[in-house]
Amino acid sequence: MRLLDALDSTSREKRLKVARAILYLAQGTFAECTSDSDVQYWMRYNIFLLLEVGTFGALVELLSMEIDNSAACSSAVRKPAISLADSTDIRVLLNIMYLIVETVRQEAESDKPEWSIVRTTFRTELASPMYNGEPFSVLLFGMVTKFCSGHAPHFPMKKVLLLLWKTVLCTLGGFEDLQEMKKHKRESLNLPPLPEDSIKVIRSMRAASPPASASDLIEQQQKRARREHKALVKQDHLDAFNEKDPYKADDGRDDEDDSDDNDNSLEGDTFPLERDEVMPPIMAHATCERVSVPKGLPWAPKVREKDIENFLETSRSKFIGYTLGSDTDTVVGLPRPIHESIKTLKQHKYISVSEIQIKKEEEYQKSPLSAGEEEVEQVPAEILYQAMLPCLPQYMIALLKILLAAAPTSKAKTDSINILADVLPEEMPTTVLQSMKLGVDVNRHKEIIVKAISAILLLLLKHFKLNHVYQFEYTAQHLVFANCIPLILKFFNQNIMSYITAKNSISVLDFPHCVVHELPELTAESLEAGDNNQFCWRNLFSCINLLRILNKLTKWKHSRTMMLVVFKSAPILKRALKVKQAMMQLYVLKLLKVQTKYLGRQWRKSNMKTMSAIYQKVRHRLNDDWAYGNDLDARPWDFQAEECALRASIERFNSRRYDKTPVNPDFSPVDNCLQSVLGQRVDLPEDFQMNYDLWLEREVFSKPICWEELLQ
């Protein structure tokens, strides 16, 4: 409590000293611990103690002061080079808050019973508009936009984004929480339960090429040697020789990759990810899973109401010669096989929460008075959307600007924002070892920024979609307008295997290992060798998130799917298939599936393995001719018309639900009191006042007035 009281000190140096003391407590008083587990135990204990005495609120007030500190901002703007020293105060505060949010968010078996109450209260406070009338997340979003506008270049963006990600995760919930919320939402709308748990299905999936054994590797080398001698043999003979099930042990090379990718550096050697499965815990039980999981497609097929309507319309036009609009029950005059087809389609009919929300919104727009006032449940996602709504476009643009600056494919430009302000020291390194260490730090810094932004965007899109589809569409549309689709494709247009296997971390310097154990002497060789991990979970996580965002933006949007085709995404996405990880492959295959019909017959013919993998791993939509080019959607695309229609629907939704000032004068209340109407002050124009006598003569005195009729 004395430390908290000292935080209110007017002296900046004293405040920083006290904040560092609180940070030491939050880090588990590591100087007095002898093992990593001791540090983690005391971290958890101290953080709950700090939370109970109200530390977080005091830290938020201090952070608000630092954000509004115009002197620090103006001095940072004038500086030619910004370094770590410019953001010391803010970094200490952000560190403490990050440790509190991340520790409280996770439950542990050893937790005290009263801690669960503290956790629930903290989550509620974090999500509610308690900090200057807005949720804490919006305060952090404000820091991001202020940094991108150039008014506060000293803000430590990596720490801000990490805290923002964990705050959104803590308040809205992760993907497993989202799955539970989706189940409850479907129950409340009287919809049938989900056909399967998508998280469990993806976890049980196998990558398209399982790890090869030692004997298989020797056999592959022999095949490669034979292939070098048979270089002049016709390609179709080689294809026939190598055509195998993509789920059996495959050669390290993709035959069809060479047709449109000239990236032979990826093909030459067998990469670590091809020798060892990315997810060892799952593969450890591969044998028992193979026995317990029934063979067949992993996903239950789905059919939309629209698909059934289109099928019936086509069938009626063909066999009867007329249509019945949206009637899906009348089957008079249709042959027996069509009856069976309709029955099968209806068995697999899936009604999404979004469809119900769109129908309800149409009813509110059609009859605003009879539909009554909408009851909006104030869940965390709703509160966050309401707070973000006025500046949501700026938030999305700012996140994408930082993502562009942190992408490994981005070239350093003079006009791009400096995201390295909280990693570069005041004095640049003088030795080779220091330079190597700084290089690792800079790369790791960028990777963490990409990871945080991709996670924030995906969480927002998924939670907004469940809360209301038009909240999701509003966010997604601003991402599309800010060139998110080409940005993600640019991110993947690199040697993705080397990005996944990058070793930009020094394990001996990880906390709490570095403060508990004796540090070995770092050498240039040990830094170059990196850690023992054959892949980087951080980068794999970022890649999967970005692919999922791309899927979210393009799903059921014809004009955006055509953008994928126009930007030539197929070869870029095919290179990403070389990462032998089931979840990442699934989302790549989904993106390839939606554009397959537009890529031409030659592409489909030379990529039959990819087509086969799509068939085996991606959910089927009955009546969806994704593999052929004879679909109705293969029409000239009008990006503007589609996006404008969507934008109009979104604006109607936002103005109806969130704009409390009535725009339509027909719905505004009428004042029927004669005294108040006559007592209103009316501002008359100057020319009227100058010609007032003339107006009286013309409009009043020269016209006869029948007073009897007027009084009646």
Side-chain angles (χ1 to χ4, degrees):
M1 290 299 285
R2 278 209 300 271
L3 284 173
L4 277 184
D5 292 340
L7 275 179
D8 294 335
S9 170
T10 52
S11 167
R12 190 182 185 83
E13 288 75 19
K14 189 176 180 182
R15 281 204 310 270
L16 181 60
K17 191 177 178 182
V18 172
R20 284 190 182 281
I22 294 172
L23 177 59
Y24 176 65
L25 287 173
Q27 288 177 333
T29 55
F30 49 81
E32 298 157 40
C33 298
T34 54
S35 66
D36 294 4
S37 55
D38 275 359
V39 175
Q40 286 165 357
Y41 170 80
W42 286 110
M43 268 179 72
R44 199 164 186 80
Y45 182 85
N46 291 345
I47 280 169
F48 275 98
L49 199 64
L50 288 168
L51 204 56
E52 285 171 9
V53 296
T55 311
F56 197 83
L59 292 171
V60 173
E61 285 180 20
L62 277 179
L63 183 64
S64 300
M65 281 171 56
E66 291 295 340
I67 293 168
D68 298 332
N69 187 348
S70 55
C73 292
S74 57
S75 67
V77 169
R78 286 195 300 271
K79 272 193 174 183
I82 301 163
S83 66
L84 276 165
D86 297 302
S87 59
T88 308
D89 298 11
I90 301 180
R91 279 187 294 112
V92 171
L93 298 174
L94 291 171
N95 272 342
I96 304 168
M97 287 192 274
Y98 178 86
L99 287 169
I100 291 174
V101 172
E102 178 62 1
T103 305
V104 175
R105 184 182 70 82
Q106 297 175 346
E107 295 182 29
E109 292 178 6
S110 58
D111 282 0
K112 295 179 180 179
E114 60 267 24
W115 286 0
S116 60
I117 301 164
V118 174
R119 179 181 294 107
T120 310
T121 311
F122 179 66
R123 273 185 171 167
T124 309
E125 286 179 1
L126 210 56
S128 59
M130 292 182 67
Y131 308 101
N132 297 330
E134 57 190 18
F136 181 57
S137 305
V138 176
L139 180 72
L140 297 174
F141 269 120
M143 288 184 77
V144 175
T145 49
K146 195 171 181 182
F147 171 80
C148 286
S149 64
H151 297 308
H154 66 297
F155 281 176
M157 253 318 100
K158 184 190 78 175
K159 292 189 185 300
V160 173
L161 290 167
L162 278 173
L163 180 56
L164 177 57
W165 168 33
K166 296 299 181 181
T167 305
V168 171
L169 194 58
C170 181
T171 53
L172 303 187
F175 295 135
E176 290 184 358
D177 300 321
L178 196 71
Q179 197 75 3
E180 287 300 313
M181 287 154 66
K182 194 182 283 186
K183 284 179 188 173
H184 294 315
K185 191 107 176 178
R186 290 186 70 82
E187 283 173 16
S188 66
L189 295 170
N190 297 319
L191 292 174
L194 293 164
E196 69 275 295
D197 188 335
S198 56
I199 297 172
K200 288 179 182 174
V201 173
I202 292 172
R203 278 178 183 164
S204 63
M205 273 188 172
R206 296 284 304 275
S209 294
S213 62
S215 58
D216 289 336
L217 288 171
I218 295 165
E219 193 177 335
Q220 284 170 18
Q221 286 171 357
Q222 290 171 351
K223 280 182 185 176
R224 281 184 194 156
R226 285 201 299 272
R227 197 177 292 134
E228 284 170 10
H229 292 300
K230 293 182 181 179
L232 298 173
V233 178
K234 277 189 179 179
Q235 184 62 39
D236 55 350
H237 289 296
L238 279 176
D239 286 345
F241 177 73
N242 289 319
E243 191 68 30
K244 289 186 277 186
D245 187 336
Y247 284 82
K248 296 194 175 97
D250 199 0
D251 181 6
R253 294 167 66 95
D254 276 341
D255 298 325
E256 67 269 20
D257 276 344
D258 296 334
S259 60
D260 54 5
D261 309 338
N262 295 320
D263 193 6
N264 293 324
S265 61
L266 285 174
E267 309 277 346
D269 300 317
T270 307
F271 278 90
L273 286 182
E274 296 179 27
R275 292 195 297 270
D276 296 274
E277 183 62 41
V278 169
M279 302 182 78
I282 292 173
M283 294 312 302
H285 305 289
T287 316
C288 63
E289 276 185 13
R290 218 175 284 134
V291 175
S292 60
V293 176
K295 286 190 176 182
L297 299 172
W299 306 99
K302 285 182 181 178
V303 182
R304 294 181 299 168
E305 184 77 27
K306 186 183 172 185
D307 299 330
I308 300 174
E309 287 174 14
N310 290 342
F311 176 73
L312 269 168
E313 198 171 322
T314 310
S315 303
R316 285 170 185 150
S317 301
K318 184 177 178 182
F319 293 105
I320 305 171
Y322 67 89
T323 59
L324 295 174
S326 59
D327 181 1
T328 56
D329 297 321
T330 308
V331 289
V332 177
L334 296 174
R336 177 65 58 188
I338 299 294
H339 289 208
E340 291 175 8
S341 300
I342 294 163
K343 185 183 175 184
T344 307
L345 288 171
K346 285 187 175 179
Q347 278 174 353
H348 293 94
K349 187 168 90 166
Y350 176 78
I351 302 169
S352 67
V353 173
S354 301
E355 289 174 60
I356 303 291
Q357 290 169 342
I358 290 169
K359 281 181 184 173
K360 281 187 178 177
E361 184 58 28
E362 285 172 358
E363 287 171 16
Y364 279 118
Q365 296 292 349
K366 204 179 289 181
S367 49
L369 297 176
S370 60
E373 191 73 25
E374 183 187 12
E375 289 184 15
V376 182
E377 190 182 355
Q378 291 298 307
V379 293
E382 180 65 34
I383 295 167
L384 181 61
Y385 181 78
Q386 286 181 22
M388 287 177 67
L389 184 60
C391 302
L392 193 139
Q394 291 93 305
Y395 297 152
M396 295 302 111
I397 290 167
L399 287 176
L400 292 183
K401 268 188 180 179
I402 299 170
L403 182 62
L404 176 63
T409 49
S410 294
K411 302 286 185 289
K413 293 179 182 174
T414 51
D415 58 340
S416 65
I417 49 178
N418 176 23
I419 54 168
L420 303 177
D422 55 330
V423 71
L424 295 175
E426 279 187 285
E427 296 178 3
M428 291 313 261
T430 52
T431 65
V432 175
L433 182 65
Q434 287 174 344
S435 299
M436 287 181 72
K437 191 176 166 189
L438 182 61
V440 170
D441 270 349
V442 166
N443 289 334
R444 175 176 167 274
H445 185 84
K446 288 182 176 180
E447 288 172 3
I448 291 171
I449 286 175
V450 172
K451 176 185 179 181
I453 292 176
S454 65
I456 291 164
L457 290 176
L458 184 60
L459 278 170
L460 289 177
L461 289 173
K462 287 188 78 70
H463 278 280
F464 286 162
K465 187 169 187 182
L466 182 62
N467 194 48
H468 199 290
V469 64
Y470 281 134
Q471 295 178 352
F472 159 79
E473 294 292 4
Y474 186 57
T475 311
Q477 194 168 60
H478 280 292
L479 286 172
V480 172
F481 290 162
N483 285 333
C484 185
I485 292 175
L487 172 55
I488 294 176
L489 292 175
K490 182 182 179 182
F491 180 89
F492 280 97
N493 193 18
Q494 59 169 311
N495 187 332
I496 204 71
M497 281 300 297
S498 63
Y499 184 70
I500 295 288
T501 54
K503 295 181 178 180
N504 290 316
S505 58
I506 307 165
S507 53
V508 292
L509 296 182
D510 289 346
F511 184 86
H513 185 277
C514 63
V515 290
V516 176
H517 303 282
E518 285 288 325
L519 283 181
E521 189 180 349
L522 288 174
T523 61
E525 290 76 21
S526 65
L527 284 182
E528 203 169 336
D531 52 23
N532 296 324
N533 293 331
Q534 292 181 327
F535 50 87
C536 178
W537 274 118
R538 175 170 59 237
N539 293 350
L540 185 63
F541 176 84
S542 304
C543 289
I544 292 172
N545 284 348
L546 290 171
L547 287 168
R548 293 181 75 174
I549 291 165
L550 203 51
N551 267 291
K552 287 271 173 209
L553 297 181
T554 54
K555 191 176 182 182
W556 303 122
K557 302 285 188 302
H558 177 65
S559 59
R560 296 179 193 173
T561 304
M562 293 307 294
M563 283 176 74
L564 290 178
V565 180
V566 169
F567 289 129
K568 294 183 172 59
S569 64
I572 296 169
L573 292 169
K574 267 193 63 193
R575 279 201 295 275
L577 280 175
K578 292 172 186 171
V579 180
K580 308 300 184 204
Q581 204 274 338
M583 192 174 186
M584 183 163 169
Q585 285 184 343
L586 172 68
Y587 290 108
V588 172
L589 292 171
K590 276 187 173 187
L591 287 165
L592 285 170
K593 180 185 174 181
V594 294
Q595 54 178 315
T596 300
K597 67 180 86 161
Y598 311 115
L599 295 174
R601 185 178 295 177
Q602 187 56 43
W603 188 91
R604 295 194 290 273
K605 188 179 173 184
S606 59
N607 289 278
M608 286 311 292
K609 281 188 182 178
T610 307
M611 301 283 282
S612 177
I614 291 171
Y615 181 84
Q616 291 185 12
K617 300 189 77 165
V618 182
R619 189 193 299 278
H620 286 271
R621 297 271 174 178
L622 302 181
N623 276 10
D624 177 18
D625 290 337
W626 62 270
Y628 308 99
N630 56 358
D631 191 81
L632 291 170
D633 282 341
R635 61 187 182 274
W637 57 293
D638 187 351
F639 177 82
Q640 250 181 337
E642 198 171 321
E643 293 295 341
C644 285
L646 179 62
R647 190 172 191 173
S649 301
I650 294 165
E651 283 177 354
R652 283 196 297 270
F653 163 76
N654 282 335
S655 63
R656 181 190 65 79
R657 192 187 266 201
Y658 304 110
D659 189 5
K660 297 304 176 190
T661 55
V663 178
N664 194 333
D666 296 338
F667 296 134
S668 57
V670 178
D671 189 354
N672 294 316
C673 179
L674 187 65
Q675 282 184 326
S676 67
V677 170
L678 291 174
Q680 285 178 2
R681 180 179 174 79
V682 180
D683 292 325
L684 301 169
E686 284 184 22
D687 56 342
F688 179 81
Q689 291 176 16
M690 288 169 65
N691 301 307
Y692 179 62
D693 297 335
L694 187 65
W695 179 84
L696 275 175
E697 185 65 38
R698 192 179 66 223
E699 298 291 334
V700 181
F701 300 142
S702 64
K703 289 188 178 180
I705 299 170
C706 186
W707 292 102
E708 288 81 6
E709 288 183 17
L710 186 66
L711 291 170
Q712 284 175 3

